[in-house]
Amino acid sequence: MKVNGAHYRSIWCEGNGGQSVKIIDQTRLPHAFVVVALESLEDAATAIETMQVRGAPLIGATAAYGIALALKVDASDEALEAAAARLRRTRPTAINLNWAIDEMLAAIRNRPREARAAAAFAKAAEICDEDVETNRCIGKHGLALIQEIAKEKAGQTVNILTHCNAGWIATVDWGTALAPIYMAHEAEIPVHVWVDETRPRNQGAALTAWELGQHGVPHTIIADNSGGHLMQHGQVDLCIVGTDRTTAQGDVANKIGTYLKALAARDNNIPFYVALPSSTIDWTIKDGVAEIPIEQRSPTEVTHMTGRSAQGDIITVEIAAPGSPAANYAFDVTPARLVTGLITERGLCPASTEGLLSLFPERRG
Ligand code: MRU
């Protein structure tokens, strides 16, 4: 997708043989567009932990390059396993991280040491290219949904609510939840996006609003608690969100607050869709509430906020009563019963075991 008119992916390699891995530092957006080089395994792991890169698919892609960067220095079995273990510890909820690491290990383990680094860079690039194609397909399938609603509304604007950032900057390109919206906008369907600010880290206000703005997609940032009110007043036609982990029965973990939006959508009879690449499905678990590990982050993300001052400086200010404890759960789980449908690269399906298996029959048994 585009930044000031120029095409970017959220992660890329420069130099023959992928010697330099570049990312867009998402902790600086929307106030500064800063490209950062990842030179080592530790750079990649830290970028994931500090959320310079974030969003389930991009975390996976960065981990893949993290393994390649580790092998550049030491291609032994021990170094490979240590790199995988280091990266697995960075963030616990998004399963794409483990998926990408497993893909890398399978592609590298049986190769001679001297061929490992090059093979790892090639495999990481393949994972990135696949992500772009997958998201393009998600966009196409989700577009059909928006087209249907647009037809029912006879040309009136289709209002879509999204939570957090599941746009191109959370993936390698296109995004998951935002891919159908970009395609609808390109197809000249009038769409407008309600962007949940997404406290505490404000991925909606900072990232979703930024990338929609870069593409000229009409949008409005709302406080996280506004969605229910807008739904009650006919201002939301459809919700689309992303997910960090989807269970075999269709429960979805996504940014904290997603569950509340799904409850409000159900109460107001508004379709609530979740867009996901199949790499986000954890086929080993069923009950998301009981089985998905929920990341807890620093309480300072709740007690403090970072933004741009009137002088143009990026500053962090305390917003809570000094000394009060704070809890920071990064994700919640929306049970499948509240999800109208899943939008995957293979098409739409009900959020259920049978629904998922109808699209991924190779997982039966
Ligand atoms: O903590 P984050 O910013 O990594 O959380 C991201 C989300 O919750 C996204 O909705 C999810 O990863 C889907 S990204 C296509």
Side-chain angles (χ1 to χ4, degrees):
M1 303 297 286
K2 291 193 173 137
V3 181
N4 298 326
H7 178 261
Y8 277 88
R9 282 186 174 188
S10 61
I11 188 165
W12 67 96
C13 252
E14 278 174 11
N16 232 351
Q19 297 319 311
S20 173
V21 179
K22 298 283 170 67
I23 57 160
I24 299 162
D25 184 347
Q26 299 193 26
T27 62
R28 307 290 301 276
L29 288 170
H31 306 299
F33 181 77
V34 179
V35 172
V36 169
L38 304 179
E39 314 273 7
S40 63
L41 163 68
E42 203 44 43
D43 282 355
T46 306
I48 297 171
E49 281 166 348
T50 60
M51 295 177 65
Q52 284 179 304
V53 289
R54 36 133 321 268
L58 180 57
I59 293 171
T62 307
Y65 275 120
I67 290 192
L69 289 166
L71 293 175
K72 218 165 74 164
V73 181
D74 180 351
S76 66
D77 287 350
E78 298 71 32
L80 179 59
E81 299 305 329
R86 169 73 182 97
L87 290 160
R88 281 189 212 280
R89 285 194 302 273
T90 51
R91 294 195 73 189
T93 302
I95 196 69
N96 300 62
L97 179 67
N98 284 326
W99 170 85
I101 293 169
D102 291 340
E103 289 277 301
M104 292 298 287
L105 292 179
I108 308 303
R109 258 193 193 124
N110 296 328
R111 289 182 188 267
R113 285 186 185 195
E114 61 281 8
R116 281 181 172 178
F121 277 105
K123 181 66 189 173
E126 194 184 303
I127 286 175
C128 289
D129 289 345
E130 266 177 30
D131 183 63
V132 178
E133 180 53 19
T134 295
N135 298 330
R136 202 188 56 77
C137 293
I138 288 172
K140 206 180 63 186
H141 296 304
L143 169 63
L145 200 64
I146 298 174
Q147 273 166 334
E148 235 172 77
I149 296 173
K151 217 163 117 192
E152 280 164 25
K153 291 196 78 177
Q156 276 179 292
T157 299
V158 178
N159 288 299
I160 303 169
L161 184 141
T162 193
H163 191 69
C164 195
N165 172 261
W168 75 266
I169 199 90
T171 64
V172 178
D173 208 349
W174 278 112
T176 56
L178 295 196
I181 294 171
Y182 285 127
M183 289 192 185
H185 180 68
E186 273 177 22
E188 295 182 6
I189 296 171
V191 284
H192 165 261
V193 185
W194 293 112
V195 178
D196 281 351
E197 61 174 346
T198 319
R199 282 280 291 146
R201 289 188 64 100
N202 296 321
Q203 289 95 327
L207 303 175
T208 301
W210 173 76
E211 57 164 278
L212 289 173
Q214 288 285 334
H215 289 82
V217 181
H219 63 279
T220 306
I221 301 167
I222 49 174
D224 283 330
N225 300 325
S226 310
H229 168 78
L230 292 169
M231 291 181 201
Q232 284 175 326
H233 290 272
Q235 299 291 304
V236 180
D237 298 302
L238 169 70
C239 300
I240 314 181
V241 299
T243 169
D244 288 78
R245 196 185 296 219
T246 303
T247 71
Q249 69 181 18
D251 296 345
V252 292
N254 192 47
K255 184 52 54 191
I256 192 79
T258 302
Y259 171 48
L260 294 177
K261 294 300 137 65
L263 283 170
R266 174 56 53 94
D267 192 45
N268 289 282
N269 213 14
I270 289 162
F272 187 93
Y273 279 87
V274 180
L276 61 127
S278 54
S279 52
T280 303
I281 305 171
D282 184 346
W283 296 98
T284 67
I285 58 172
K286 285 186 178 156
D287 181 346
V289 175
E291 296 179 88
I292 297 178
I294 299 296
E295 175 180 5
Q296 288 190 54
R297 297 183 60 84
S298 167
T300 58
E301 290 182 354
V302 176
T303 56
H304 292 66
M305 272 180 103
T306 300
R308 187 166 58 181
S309 73
Q311 288 68 38
D313 304 317
I314 304 300
I315 55 166
T316 298
V317 295
E318 189 172 20
I319 57 164
S324 286
N328 187 4
Y329 297 93
F331 298 94
D332 60 24
V333 173
T334 301
R337 66 174 185 280
L338 297 176
V339 178
T340 310
L342 304 174
I343 311 171
T344 79
E345 70 269 28
R346 293 196 189 170
L348 270 64
C349 72
S352 65
T353 308
E354 259 319 299
L356 279 167
L357 289 175
S358 71
L359 291 183
F360 300 93
E362 68 276 21
R363 293 286 173 171
R364 275 188 200 279

